[in-house]
Amino acid sequence: GQQLNQSPQSMFIQEGEDVSMNCTSSSIFNTWLWYKQDPGEGPVLLIALYKAGELTSNGRLTAQFGITRKDSFLNISASIPSDVGIYFCAGTQGGSEKLVFGKGTKLTVNP
Amino acid sequence: NAGVTQTPKFRVLKTGQSMTLLCAQDMNHEYMYWYRQDPGMGLRLIHYSVGEGTTAKGEVPDGYNVSRLKKQNFLLGLESAAPSQTSVYFCASSKRGLGNQPQHFGDGTRLSIL
């Protein structure tokens, strides 16, 4: 099936630093979503992007839908300890309801 | 993750046993999904449903069956459990839409097959 390449696989940062992660594909996606998963819980939606070029913020989080429709990035500004978790990108293609997920970026924030 | 409830939360099975995982949502969503999550693999779609009485195969359907007899419930069955089915299983639901409605996830069922 279609793969989403998410990078980096893991990040170790100091509290207060900014974080950037991205997701790329060889084919076009119509929707890009970013989820966060805390240990022992299900993924929680952070930001949803529906149009190429769209830039959307949610508090300290900002995500963009790439203009080629083949990539997306997520930025976290001024990281705090509760940002720790695994961040997943996901997307849909065509009229499909099926989400394709990246393999995740594991974020560790050192106080 | 209010709105999507999965039961049980944990289960240990022996190879060859059968069981059913239950997902219930109270958001009146049309679409429901079952995923499995394995280390380093992200989430992979097993089966999904676009409405009551309908089901469809996802990326990794083999060894699983599903039923959607009621709109609010989506059942995932393992007829003869195998160690390769050891995983964390997530259910999700979303409103009707052309891929533009975000999915809401439950907290998962951790299943071990010995």
Side-chain angles (χ1 to χ4, degrees):
Chain A
Q2 176 58 45
Q3 297 291 319
L4 288 180
N5 301 308
Q6 189 171 348
S7 63
Q9 288 186 336
S10 61
M11 302 181 72
F12 297 83
I13 63 171
Q14 292 296 125
E15 182 176 359
E17 290 182 353
D18 296 342
V19 173
S20 183
M21 59 191 78
N22 68 82
C23 210
T24 62
S25 172
S26 60
S27 58
I28 290 173
F29 278 74
N30 295 328
T31 306
W32 286 96
L33 306 171
W34 285 93
Y35 286 86
K36 183 193 177 196
Q37 185 177 28
D38 292 326
E41 299 183 9
V44 174
L45 181 68
L46 299 174
I47 294 178
L49 303 162
Y50 301 116
K51 295 181 181 179
E54 181 180 356
L55 183 70
T56 298
S57 294
N58 178 7
R60 294 176 297 104
L61 278 63
T62 301
Q64 185 160 29
F65 191 142
I67 58 173
T68 65
R69 298 171 64 190
K70 295 182 179 180
D71 63 339
S72 177
F73 72 76
L74 174 70
N75 288 339
I76 305 173
S77 62
S79 59
I80 59 178
S82 62
D83 290 334
V84 167
I86 301 178
Y87 292 79
F88 290 98
C89 64
T92 60
Q93 296 179 289
S96 174
E97 299 301 330
K98 292 185 284 188
L99 267 181
V100 176
F101 279 84
K103 295 184 177 181
T105 294
K106 185 176 182 180
L107 179 64
T108 301
V109 180
N110 297 314
Chain B
N1 295 316
V4 180
T5 304
Q6 293 182 232
T7 54
K9 295 187 183 303
F10 304 93
R11 186 72 182 269
V12 179
L13 292 177
K14 294 181 180 179
T15 298
Q17 287 185 318
S18 63
M19 80 160 295
T20 300
L21 281 63
L22 170 65
C23 177
Q25 53 95 5
D26 61 3
M27 296 174 283
N28 201 35
H29 284 170
E30 290 289 338
Y31 292 75
M32 296 187 75
Y33 314 80
W34 275 106
Y35 294 88
R36 61 178 288 174
Q37 184 177 31
D38 302 296
M41 295 293 292
L43 284 88
R44 293 181 293 170
L45 183 65
I46 304 171
H47 286 282
Y48 65 103
S49 167
V50 300
E52 182 178 322
T54 72
T55 63
K57 292 181 179 180
E59 181 184 356
V60 288
D62 294 342
Y64 304 96
N65 57 75
V66 288
S67 63
R68 183 95 182 271
L69 298 180
K70 294 183 178 180
K71 185 178 182 179
Q72 63 269 31
N73 296 335
F74 195 27
L75 306 180
L76 177 70
L78 284 72
E79 294 181 345
S80 180
S84 62
Q85 294 177 304
T86 294
S87 188
V88 182
Y89 292 85
F90 286 99
C91 175
S93 70
S94 65
K95 293 180 181 179
R96 183 193 303 271
L98 297 176
N100 283 351
Q101 297 294 337
Q103 296 179 14
H104 300 266
F105 286 81
D107 283 339
T109 294
R110 284 145 188 83
L111 185 60
S112 294
I113 315 297
L114 304 178

